DNA sequence: CTGAAAGCGCTAACAA
DNA sequence: TTGTTAGCGCTTTCAG
């Protein structure tokens, strides 16, 4: 690999001059600029970001913590974030944490050792201490798709409460009066909010709220399937299920399928996220859509402003979810 | 952020000593080692990888080029690679290229500027020049899920030819005699191989091969849907479709659904990859399974050996795909 | 067992 | 407009 010294020598100038043409700083005569550029091209020179990072304190690398890259919702979100990072000249380092505080901490330490310019968090609803720490150490961070109500941190998320409300209202309007919920970890804010929205909808329609209709499940398909199985095996099973994400909803559909319970004829199922999976299920899944592209765009904007320091006030951007009616929900029979 | 100087001063030793305890090199007395460690902990010291990279020529960062992170197959593959990278102390930088040579080149340049220790390629079947260049520049690389027959490069992939053969044989054994293929870009080796396997199966069963039954499509759901639509709209439509990846197969199922053509009663559809989508479709998709986890594991092993230089011969590891029969294929009627 | 010092490739004053 | 030079934080001989 050629270094700045090779270029300088070959072009008959000093390394400072080369540095200036690389960074387009200072004033350089057109003639030398051309000569230097020509040499750079000829030697296939790539300036070392690691060397420049040492003095500039910029690595042009952003870290992203998500629960699981294999979860289509997060994969799509990551893709959106990746694209917008590239537009601004950043690389994206993705770390899956499985929502395990251990892995979260390890990933964050790695990112700090590598001097990531910023860290985007889509995980870690619980131990907010980690985040507090980051803030305190003056690390540029932003939170996405997760509420951190008690923290002063840039955030972009969807109105989870409204989402839960929309989901439940849709089912209620279809005539359902007994609706079960498969929730993710209730310690996580956004999860709690979705359930709160559901409950609110019940109240607004003067329907009774039953604590035992709320079930917590692991956040993948299998968890949804197991939990839905328990729900459907009960003697007084509900006529509808609100699954707090699409993966859980798919699990629920499988549980119904295995029991020969028709969807939506005998049980309606609604999901949350509107990941690629939803549209392609059979029946296609009714769900609450998160504006994934927009979430990614906004969070990259926030963090880049944060990194560049041209922003001093934190903000919380709340996008609104939308109900997408497909084939997995129908009016209550019997 | 504390630096090595802060630690040295606080512990009353030289920076060389601190460096040695960090890297566990040289011989340090237990007593000073303990003292230094204590100080590091107390000051929450994180050694700067960017500084050490400058001398050690190691960034502990591996780049991964894939067509699209939002494609569940690649998301799962990336997750597997990520996990194994972490085990070995590497971070993963993922770049989606949409199979566009431009983006591939840009991504690779970025990775080189950042001195990625290694680059894993799951994209770029075409312009092998890029890869040739990398090899020539002595960059550690490995190719996954893509054949580069004319290149001397570490590779781990599935036997695509066998996969195509298994898919076609399965359909033939179900009584199908007219099987269409929805292929990806035929310039890409693995794509070509799948079709070759299909053709071989036809021959082995003394069935005629029709050039016009092979259709090339963009590699996402919509492409599969459009292409399948054309196929299904023909007067002498085939009784089965072999889609060269699950996304295309899903598109095909949608096309059939829209035309009220029952799957598998009126048309059988088989996919390739066995991504998370396959099992959860309705009917669940029969497909050719790639051992995604194993692919990831092996490629990380290869590249890490390559990086550490404890390997001089290149190898090509070929894993065998398996037929997974589900509900989207059935015996030919009528 | 410990430390002094050179150097990794680049940036950023400051001089010239 | 161009060049000199002092770091950035760490590793690595080489002395002591």
């Amino acid at each position: 690999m050629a270094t700045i010294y090779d270029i300088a020598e070959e072009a008959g100038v000093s390394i400072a001059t080369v540095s200036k043409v690389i960074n387009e700083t200072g004033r350089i005569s057109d003639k030398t600029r051309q000569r230097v550029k020509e040499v750079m091209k000829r030697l296939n020179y790539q300036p070392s970001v690691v060397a420049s990072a040492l003095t500039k304190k910029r690595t042009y690398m952003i870290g992203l913590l998500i629960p699981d890259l294999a979860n289509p919702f997060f994969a799509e979100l990551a893709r959106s974030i990746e694209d917008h990072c590239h537009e601004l000249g950043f690389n994206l380092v993705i770390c899956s944490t499985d929502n395990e505080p251990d892995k979260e901490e390890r990933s964050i330490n790695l990112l700090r050792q590598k001097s990531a310019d910023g860290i985007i968090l889509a995980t870690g609803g619980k131990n907010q201490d980690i985040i507090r720490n980051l803030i305190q150490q003056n690390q540029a961070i932003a939170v996405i798709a997760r509420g951190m109500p008690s923290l002063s941190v840039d955030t972009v998320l969807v109105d989870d409460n409204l989402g839960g409300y929309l989901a439940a209202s849709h089912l209620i309007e279809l005539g359902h009066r007994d609706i079960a919920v498969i929730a993710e970890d209730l310690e996580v804010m956004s999860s709690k909010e979705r359930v709160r929205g559901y409950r609110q909808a019940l109240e607004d329609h003067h329907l009774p709220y039953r604590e035992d209709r709320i079930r917590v499940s692991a956040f993948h398909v299998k968890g949804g399937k197991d939990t839905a199985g328990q729900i459907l095996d009960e003697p007084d099973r509900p006529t509808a299920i609100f699954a707090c994400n699409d993966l859980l909803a798919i699990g629920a559909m499988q549980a119904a399928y295995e029991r020969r319970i028709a969807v939506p004829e005998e049980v309606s199922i609604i999901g949350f996220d509107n990941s690629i999976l939803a549209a392609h299920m059979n029946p296609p899944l009714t769900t609450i859509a998160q504006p994934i592209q927009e979430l990614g765009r906004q969070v990259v904007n926030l963090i880049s402003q944060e990194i560049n320091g041209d922003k001093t006030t934190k903000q919380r951007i709340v996008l609104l979810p939308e109900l997408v009616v497909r084939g997995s929900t129908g009016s209550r029979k019997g």
Side-chain angles (χ1 to χ4, degrees), chain A:
Chain A
M1 281 284 272
T3 74
I4 201 172
Y5 288 93
D6 301 326
I7 306 300
E9 185 167 330
E10 186 77 10
V13 296
S14 74
I15 58 166
T17 303
V18 178
S19 176
K20 280 167 195 154
V21 350
I22 293 173
N23 298 292
E24 302 184 338
T25 55
R27 347 194 99 280
I28 300 290
S29 74
D30 255 24
K31 217 176 57 184
T32 48
R33 194 206 322 287
Q34 291 318 320
R35 187 148 38 90
V36 171
K37 281 195 170 172
E38 183 271 318
V39 174
M40 296 200 309
K41 186 153 297 168
R42 185 149 53 76
L43 300 193
N44 191 14
Y45 170 69
Q46 303 279 12
S48 159
V49 173
V50 359
S52 79
L54 204 52
T55 48
K56 285 209 294 196
K57 270 89 182 68
R58 270 278 202 299
T59 54
Y60 299 98
M61 166 180 132
I62 287 177
L64 171 65
L65 265 59
I66 54 177
D68 181 13
L69 188 51
N71 173 326
F73 169 69
F74 287 106
E76 285 173 60
L77 184 58
R79 173 71 211 257
S80 167
I81 292 174
E82 187 206 328
D83 285 346
H84 291 102
C85 279
H86 283 176
E87 275 172 23
L88 300 179
F90 291 98
N91 268 142
L92 222 217
V93 175
I94 298 176
C95 303
S96 297
T97 66
D98 296 315
N99 278 332
E100 293 171 20
D102 268 22
K103 290 190 187 171
E104 290 175 1
E105 189 160 359
R106 224 177 312 150
S107 297
I108 285 180
N109 281 340
L110 270 179
L111 291 172
R112 304 221 68 214
Q113 290 181 192
K114 299 209 169 156
S115 310
D117 291 340
I119 299 179
I120 299 174
L121 298 155
T123 172
K126 320 193 198 182
N127 60 341
Q128 306 202 160
D129 285 350
I130 291 185
I131 303 186
R132 263 197 205 90
N133 230 306
L134 251 25
I135 296 175
Q136 189 184 333
Q137 291 174 54
N138 223 340
Q139 169 65 249
I141 62 173
V143 173
I144 186 165
R146 275 226 176 346
M148 299 283 168
S150 59
L151 248 35
S152 169
V153 56
D154 281 306
T155 306
V156 25
L157 79 169
V158 124
D159 187 332
D160 289 297
N161 181 58
L162 174 58
Y165 190 91
L166 289 175
S169 298
H170 170 64
L171 293 171
I172 293 170
E173 277 156 23
L174 286 171
H176 298 279
R177 303 178 48 83
D178 186 2
I179 304 168
V181 177
I182 304 178
E184 290 179 68
D185 193 336
L186 284 178
E187 286 178 59
V188 173
M189 201 54 200
S190 57
S191 198
K192 206 192 298 186
E193 284 294 292
R194 290 176 194 180
V195 175
R196 197 163 68 85
Y198 153 89
R199 189 168 179 172
Q200 183 66 47
L202 253 46
E203 274 181 30
D204 286 5
H205 291 83
H206 312 293
L207 255 29
Y209 169 74
R210 284 175 53 182
E211 186 80 37
D212 65 316
R213 279 310 190 205
I214 314 295
R215 302 295 176 85
V216 173
S217 152
F219 72 102
H220 43 55
V221 176
K222 176 128 195 332
K225 184 173 171 182
D226 294 346
T227 308
Q230 292 168 22
I231 293 171
L232 293 173
D233 285 341
E234 284 179 26
D236 68 327
R237 70 166 194 243
T239 63
I241 296 177
F242 166 32
C244 282
N245 73 45
D246 287 348
L247 252 29
L248 296 176
I250 288 168
M253 285 180 61
Q254 288 182 356
Y257 184 78
E258 281 188 359
R259 288 167 177 71
R260 306 265 180 280
I261 298 174
V263 177
E265 291 76 9
E266 297 176 78
V267 62
S268 283
I269 295 177
I270 187 170
F272 204 113
D273 285 350
N274 195 29
S275 60
I276 184 175
L277 292 162
H280 302 145
M281 304 302 303
N282 189 348
L285 186 66
T286 296
T287 192
I288 302 297
Q290 299 207 47
I292 302 185
Q293 302 305 320
E294 188 63 9
L295 284 168
R297 200 178 68 76
Q298 298 261 16
V299 81
V300 173
N301 277 345
L302 284 185
I303 196 118
S304 92
Q305 287 173 255
E306 192 75 41
I307 290 170
N308 294 325
D310 43 40
K311 195 170 64 69
T312 135
T313 62
K314 311 290 181 201
Q315 49 186 312
R316 178 149 38 209
I317 297 175
V318 179
L319 304 179
L320 302 188
E322 278 177 20
L323 171 69
V324 177
V325 179
R326 295 204 182 90
S328 66
T329 50
S331 55
R332 173 174 152 235
K333 299 290 180 343

